[in-house]
Amino acid sequence: MNSGTEPMRTLVEFRVWADTRDSGSVCISGSTQELGCWRPESVVLMKKVLVPQDTYDIDIDTESLEEWTATVNLPYGKDIEYHYAVCAADVDYVGNEACKPDIAIIRAEAHRIPRTFKTNGAKMKRNGERFGRVSGHKCVYDGWLSPGTKEIRLVVNNLQKPAVTMADDSLGDLRMKLNGNEYYVIGETGKKRKLSGVGVPVTVQHTFSDSSTPHVDNELGTKVTDCEYNTYSVVIFKSKQCELNFSFYDSTTGEPVAVSHILPDTLTKSSGSLCIPIISKTDYSKSIGKITVEYLIITSVNLTEATNLNSSYWCRWTRTKANPSGIHIGHRGCGVSHGETQDDTGYEENTVESMQQAFIRGCDFVEFDVVLTKDLVPILFHDFQILIHPEDNSPTPFYISANIDDYTFEELKSSRTMPLSAANGKTPWTGNVKLDTLQEALD
């Protein structure tokens, strides 16, 4: 004690409400050694509160949010800075002793000014906080893969031909869901792997959904007939032994009908496609169909300065002696070319020509937008809709709004088109939208 009465340490109880989307755990990272000094591999894992306390009059939906808690012994009289994050943790066990976990950050708070307080007294509480919101401002970004982790993305693509085919038509309308299950491998040292949280985190994104945010599927997944273009994302640890299962359910009764298995260890290439059998749940020797999936494996980049939870490095570049002016990034290439906030650069936005001009004018990088056409051609365009003239030979400037994914690339190229925002531009729109492909930009 400093004066005989003041404690040298303060026991701080953190409590936060968070939506983990039924995968992963909440953790804390902060400015002190006890909070990991902002290093993602040294976060403090929190525990889910089985019987949540009072909501402290904060605006929350207790149906989707869970309360998490952790108690940390911090230095007395210190200004503490910290952020919350959602992570997956892979824990080594030697006997019953847990070793230091490997961490993969799933989502993290990215406010420029972190949460702050000063330790005072023997005990303190940080109650009623909500993940992602500081002083009413929401700022959450998807996390990164830590060394030792990888992300597997599986795509079920029904746009051109059915990805799921059944030999037995009597099965009717089925639902499907992807699950991740781990299994232990006990080595000579007696170590075994165990994932903290609930199973292997799996999120899904549906193209037909109004929300572009990846989410956890409901209990029975999605109707097979509704799976236009579903992307499943799974974060696993390279050392982990696990399997991915597509489970199929009867849409009426909810009873399990069949299953398909994928072993991630067998995916030796960075991308490709698989055709795997669908096995009957009543007779495991019987194949009743097949499912074709495309896959992409994303591995981690070991950049310590880019994985620091102190601030949003993925949003902000800092000035250095070697680069005193920071990083210059061209918006949509050389700038916005139409709409109320157009930059009047003379070059059409989201085109290869605009990007070339951005580099000529001194940009270090360029930002551009990509959308998919009906025949899955990635094109450079900002909006999901476009204005199309229904009659090419008509002199009347009459356009209708249409979804880009309702037209093939050739149909769009041969049509008379105009961007939605051009209607509010500073100058009248003439000509057609110049639609460059992503491949042309990369070349």
Side-chain angles (χ1 to χ4, degrees):
M1 299 184 180
N2 293 336
S3 62
T5 58
E6 293 180 344
M8 295 293 292
R9 312 288 295 181
T10 300
L11 200 62
V12 181
E13 179 188 39
F14 295 87
R15 283 181 175 263
V16 62
W17 290 87
D19 179 7
T20 62
R21 304 174 190 169
D22 293 328
S23 62
S25 305
V26 181
C27 58
I28 316 171
S29 182
S31 56
T32 68
Q33 183 176 356
E34 294 80 4
L35 295 176
C37 294
W38 301 114
R39 296 188 300 270
E41 69 274 12
S42 302
V43 297
V44 176
L45 295 175
M46 306 184 76
K47 294 182 179 180
K48 187 189 300 185
V49 179
L50 298 179
V51 182
Q53 294 184 358
D54 184 77
T55 59
Y56 313 104
D57 297 326
I58 61 175
D59 181 22
I60 65 168
D61 177 8
T62 55
E63 294 296 325
S64 60
L65 297 182
E66 303 163 327
E67 191 177 22
W68 294 74
T69 184
T71 301
V72 185
N73 196 5
L74 298 174
Y76 173 81
K78 293 285 186 179
D79 291 321
I80 307 297
E81 297 181 344
Y82 65 102
H83 280 310
Y84 291 110
V86 177
C87 68
D90 187 33
V91 185
D92 269 346
Y93 282 83
V94 179
N96 293 324
E97 295 295 325
C99 302
K100 182 180 177 181
D102 293 325
I103 299 294
I105 302 296
I106 300 174
R107 290 179 302 281
E109 294 181 330
H111 302 84
R112 293 188 183 276
I113 301 177
R115 301 176 186 268
T116 59
F117 72 97
K118 187 171 184 175
T119 52
N120 182 19
K123 293 183 179 180
M124 292 184 68
K125 290 185 177 182
R126 303 293 296 175
N127 289 338
E129 297 184 306
R130 182 169 176 177
F131 172 71
R133 295 191 179 182
V134 179
S135 300
H137 299 287
K138 183 177 180 180
C139 191
V140 176
Y141 282 82
D142 288 338
W144 52 83
L145 296 175
S146 303
T149 65
K150 61 182 176 182
E151 178 184 354
I152 299 177
R153 293 188 183 180
L154 301 175
V155 177
V156 177
N157 182 1
N158 279 313
L159 293 179
Q160 295 179 329
K161 61 181 181 179
V164 178
T165 56
M166 291 291 186
D168 188 355
D169 295 334
S170 64
L171 292 174
D173 196 7
L174 298 178
R175 304 181 70 92
M176 62 182 292
K177 181 179 181 179
L178 180 68
N179 300 290
N181 298 318
E182 61 175 313
Y183 57 90
Y184 298 131
V185 174
I186 301 177
E188 296 178 357
T189 60
K191 287 188 177 182
K192 64 180 182 179
R193 316 292 299 185
K194 184 178 180 181
L195 180 74
S196 68
V198 183
V200 179
V202 177
T203 58
V204 60
Q205 184 172 347
H206 309 292
T207 55
F208 60 81
S209 173
D210 292 335
S211 173
S212 60
T213 303
H215 63 280
V216 177
D217 242 341
N218 58 41
E219 185 177 356
L220 299 181
T222 311
K223 281 188 177 182
V224 173
T225 53
D226 289 341
C227 294
E228 295 181 0
Y229 192 85
N230 287 358
T231 301
Y232 298 87
S233 175
V234 186
V235 176
I236 65 173
F237 293 86
K238 292 179 181 178
S239 57
K240 180 172 295 300
Q241 303 289 334
C242 70
E243 63 180 9
L244 304 177
N245 304 316
F246 278 105
S247 300
F248 296 85
Y249 303 89
D250 187 297
S251 293
T252 304
T253 64
E255 293 296 322
V257 175
V259 66
S260 290
H261 303 282
I262 301 175
L263 296 179
D265 289 345
T266 64
L267 306 179
T268 56
K269 297 181 179 180
S270 60
S271 63
S273 61
L274 298 172
C275 183
I276 51 179
I278 300 174
I279 307 300
S280 171
K281 292 286 287 186
T282 58
D283 184 357
Y284 288 104
S285 64
K286 182 180 179 182
S287 174
I288 61 174
K290 63 180 181 180
I291 176 173
T292 302
V293 296
E294 303 166 24
Y295 71 87
L296 173 68
I297 297 179
I298 305 171
T299 55
S300 60
V301 177
N302 191 11
L303 294 176
T304 303
E305 69 276 7
T307 56
N308 186 318
L309 283 162
N310 182 24
S311 59
S312 53
Y313 279 89
W314 47 89
C315 305
R316 177 179 64 180
W317 293 87
T318 55
R319 291 180 172 86
T320 64
K321 291 182 179 179
N323 185 20
S325 62
I327 301 294
H328 297 282
I329 302 176
H331 184 207
R332 302 186 197 176
C334 197
V336 179
S337 60
H338 46 76
E340 295 180 346
T341 58
Q342 64 189 71
D343 296 316
D344 292 328
T345 61
Y347 297 92
E348 187 173 344
E349 66 181 53
N350 282 315
T351 60
V352 174
E353 184 182 25
S354 179
M355 295 180 195
Q356 293 170 339
Q357 283 298 316
F359 286 117
I360 291 174
R361 299 183 184 200
C363 287
D364 301 291
F365 298 96
V366 290
E367 173 272 343
F368 56 91
D369 307 279
V370 179
V371 295
L372 285 174
T373 62
K374 183 178 181 180
D375 52 343
L376 300 182
V377 176
I379 61 173
L380 309 186
F381 198 69
H382 180 265
D383 303 312
F384 292 106
Q385 290 83 32
I386 195 170
L387 295 176
I388 294 183
H389 198 293
E391 298 180 10
D392 291 341
N393 297 325
S394 172
T396 306
F398 173 74
Y399 291 84
I400 60 173
S401 177
N403 294 326
I404 286 182
D405 58 6
D406 285 339
Y407 293 82
T408 67
F409 176 62
E410 291 302 325
E411 288 173 340
L412 291 171
K413 289 282 286 187
S414 60
S415 299
R416 189 173 170 183
T417 55
M418 179 174 72
L420 286 173
S421 55
N424 299 321
K426 299 177 183 178
T427 57
W429 176 264
T430 58
N432 290 340
V433 177
K434 189 179 187 306
L435 297 175
D436 290 338
T437 65
L438 177 61
Q439 188 61 52
E440 291 173 325
L442 297 178
D443 291 341

